[in-house]
């Protein structure tokens, strides 16, 4: 049985990045049920295509129209068995990831195994930092002080043109030692090379996605001109993208979001390509609810996730989560949720108040 919902969760604080402001988190949630077991996953696409091209409406169309009617009733021995359902369709990796990840979750639970074990994970806690939205310097400093006191392992600041060098100078004056990164979410171009080069003086661990969402080539020029590592997020959809980027020297770090790249199989392949190049990866986030957060934590147990990820405490984002398990970091460490699969169980009392069931398919 497959149940597809659309969930609408208010964010405690609006999240501002260079492409816009989010006040709510709206996402498709897929629940698969078989033999009394429940597997689940959420989509990371937004209602409008402001981060990448996909939208929640487009995802619903693909899942309802072409994928889920064929999925129910199928015998699935391993997650690889759903390839024939997903491979015919171009792109739409975020929509495909919803199905792929829910199948992984169901599969793991059917064997009573935690996801991380099936993925080849190597730890029971993962290092995490925070991603701070665009805000004035004094507010940014207050948020950094709070996150540092809580033990988060690095601070990532969202930047955009005109809200960059002065911000960084102000932050470094107050916090000379913290591990600091920035994320431009594609706001710069090659004409901004001189601004980007000035970021070398701030001791950043990396600069995330300065150029266009679909660019790899020009990032190579930026990387060649900077001492600071470039980290690619939006530009990396596949293991092939990762290989090309690393062969070209377009990045020295990669952000893997399992929901962006089409699911666990592709996320692992990207992880392995980066490992082969000696390039570290870290696990990004998309303001997910506890369901996506739990999946992210399991992924981040893999050995080449050697930089702190973005999976900070769920309570930083939501008044109440849709899962029963609190996902809270302690001293910058997020424990892998216990139990089989991703370890999350849905809080249906609350979920029903923040979601609508779009459609249900029975075998
Ligand atoms: O680029 O990593 C990004 C949130 C929304 C869209 C894009 C990004 C982000 C984040 C938030 O940085 C990470 C998180 O806290 O989940
Ligand atoms: Mg990013």
């Amino acid at each position: 049985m497959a149940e597809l919902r659309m969930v609408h969760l208010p964010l405690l604080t609006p999240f501002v990045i260079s492409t816009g402001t989010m006040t709510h988190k709206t996402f498709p949630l897929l629940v698969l049920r078989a033999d009394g077991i429940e597997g689940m996953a959420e989509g990371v696409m937004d209602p409008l295509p402001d981060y990448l091209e996909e939208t929640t409406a487009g995802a619903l169309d693909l899942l309802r129209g072409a994928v889920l009617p064929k999925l129910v009733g199928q015998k699935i021995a391993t997650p690889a068995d759903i390839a024939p359902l997903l491979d015919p369709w171009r792109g739409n990796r975020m929509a495909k990831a919803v199905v792929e990840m829910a199948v992984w979750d169901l599969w793991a639970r059917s064997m009573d195994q935690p996801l991380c074990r099936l993925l080849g994970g190597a730890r029971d806690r993962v290092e995490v930092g925070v991603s701070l939205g665009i805000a004035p310097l004094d507010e940014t400093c207050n948020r950094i002080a709070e996150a540092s006191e809580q033990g988060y392992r690095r601070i990532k600041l969202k930047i955009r043109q005109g809200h960059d060098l002065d911000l960084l100078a102000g932050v470094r004056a107050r916090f000379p030692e913290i591990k600091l990164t920035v994320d431009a979410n594609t706001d710069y171009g090659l004409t901004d090379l001189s601004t980007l080069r000035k970021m070398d003086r701030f001791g950043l661990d990396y600069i995330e996605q300065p150029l266009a969402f679909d660019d790899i080539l020009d990032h190579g020029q930026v990387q060649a001109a900077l001492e600071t590592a470039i980290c690619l997020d939006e530009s990396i959809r596949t293991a092939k993208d990762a290989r090309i980027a690393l062969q070209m020297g377009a990045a020295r770090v990669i952000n893997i979001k399992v929901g962006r790249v089409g699911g666990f199989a592709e996320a692992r392949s990207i992880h392995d390509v980066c490992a082969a190049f000696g390039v570290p990866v870290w696990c990004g986030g998309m303001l997910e609810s506890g369901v996506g957060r739990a999946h992210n934590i399991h992924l981040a147990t893999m050995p080449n996730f050697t930089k702190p990820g973005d999976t900070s405490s769920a309570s930083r984002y939501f008044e109440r989560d849709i899962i029963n398990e609190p996902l809270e970091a302690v001293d910058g460490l997020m424990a892998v949720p216990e139990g089989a699969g991703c370890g999350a169980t849905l809080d249906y009392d609350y979920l029903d108040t923040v979601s609508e069931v779009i459609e249900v398919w029975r075998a």
Side-chain angles (χ1 to χ4, degrees), residues 7-339:
V7 186
H8 197 61
L9 283 181
L11 290 173
L12 284 171
T13 328
F15 193 76
V16 185
I17 69 175
S18 67
T19 54
T21 300
M22 288 176 74
T23 58
H24 286 77
K25 176 71 188 168
T26 299
F27 59 95
L29 176 73
L30 176 64
V31 182
L32 301 177
R33 296 196 189 99
D35 306 318
I37 299 169
E38 202 164 81
M40 63 196 78
E42 71 179 80
V44 300
M45 69 295 290
D46 292 318
L48 291 170
D50 49 7
Y51 167 79
L52 286 176
E53 304 95 323
E54 293 185 66
T55 62
T56 45
L60 286 194
D61 276 354
L62 182 63
L63 296 178
R64 300 173 75 179
V67 179
L68 294 176
K70 292 187 182 163
L71 177 70
V72 290
Q74 279 228 352
K75 260 251 153 300
I76 291 168
T78 78
D81 291 348
I82 59 162
L85 284 181
L86 302 178
D87 287 355
W89 312 115
R90 314 283 186 192
N92 287 280
R93 293 177 187 282
M94 293 173 168
K96 291 175 181 176
V98 180
V99 180
E100 203 252 18
M101 292 165 70
V103 168
W104 268 87
D105 191 32
L106 186 66
W107 182 56
R109 289 180 202 246
S110 75
M111 295 186 294
D112 202 23
Q113 294 290 322
L115 253 181
C116 58
R117 190 167 304 158
L118 301 177
L119 290 167
R123 345 170 218 269
D124 57 10
R125 295 180 301 175
V126 302
E127 278 198 302
V128 293
V130 292
S131 173
L132 299 180
I134 291 171
L137 174 63
D138 52 348
E139 193 182 330
T140 297
C141 285
N142 291 341
R143 292 184 191 173
I144 295 173
E146 189 186 9
S148 299
E149 273 158 34
Q150 291 167 345
Y152 282 107
R153 304 290 167 110
R154 68 97 169 95
I155 307 289
K156 160 169 141 183
L157 299 178
K158 295 291 189 177
I159 57 168
R160 66 177 162 218
Q161 293 202 40
H163 183 77
D164 41 27
L165 302 176
D166 290 349
L167 175 81
L168 286 169
V171 166
R172 268 303 184 215
R174 253 197 79 180
F175 304 96
E177 301 292 340
I178 54 167
K179 184 179 277 194
L180 192 64
T181 74
V182 294
D183 187 355
N185 288 108
T186 77
D187 207 42
Y188 298 81
L190 275 185
T191 50
D192 304 309
L193 210 49
S194 67
T195 303
L196 293 169
R197 288 182 65 160
K198 287 184 188 136
M199 292 184 196
D200 271 343
R201 65 177 73 135
F202 300 114
L204 303 174
D205 196 41
Y206 50 78
I207 299 171
E208 187 175 343
Q209 196 72 35
L211 308 188
F213 71 95
D214 55 357
D215 172 78
I216 294 177
L217 190 66
D218 289 351
H219 278 100
Q221 276 196 58
V222 176
Q223 183 63 92
L226 266 64
E227 279 167 32
T228 311
I230 297 297
C231 169
L232 290 178
D233 172 357
E234 284 90 328
S235 296
I236 304 299
R237 326 284 185 94
T238 63
K240 185 181 176 191
D241 290 340
R243 175 180 60 76
I244 290 170
L246 300 184
Q247 274 178 343
M248 287 181 30
R252 293 191 202 132
V253 180
I254 283 181
N255 166 346
I256 302 181
K257 293 176 181 167
V258 53
R260 178 191 76 227
V261 303
F264 284 111
E266 200 67 31
R268 276 167 113 188
S269 299
I270 296 172
H271 166 276
D272 294 351
V273 166
C274 292
F277 276 87
V279 163
V281 303
W282 56 277
C283 181
M286 291 292 284
L287 317 182
E288 290 96 335
S289 83
V291 172
R293 225 163 264 282
H295 283 285
N296 290 342
I297 297 167
H298 281 271
L299 178 70
T301 63
M302 293 186 68
N304 195 36
F305 282 84
T306 51
K307 288 186 178 293
D310 269 347
T311 314
S312 56
S313 298
S315 62
R316 295 183 61 248
Y317 303 82
F318 309 109
E319 173 89 42
R320 183 170 170 184
D321 201 349
I322 60 167
I323 67 169
N324 295 306
E325 297 72 18
L327 296 182
E328 300 297 302
V330 177
D331 194 25
L333 292 169
M334 189 62 101
V336 178
E338 285 179 23

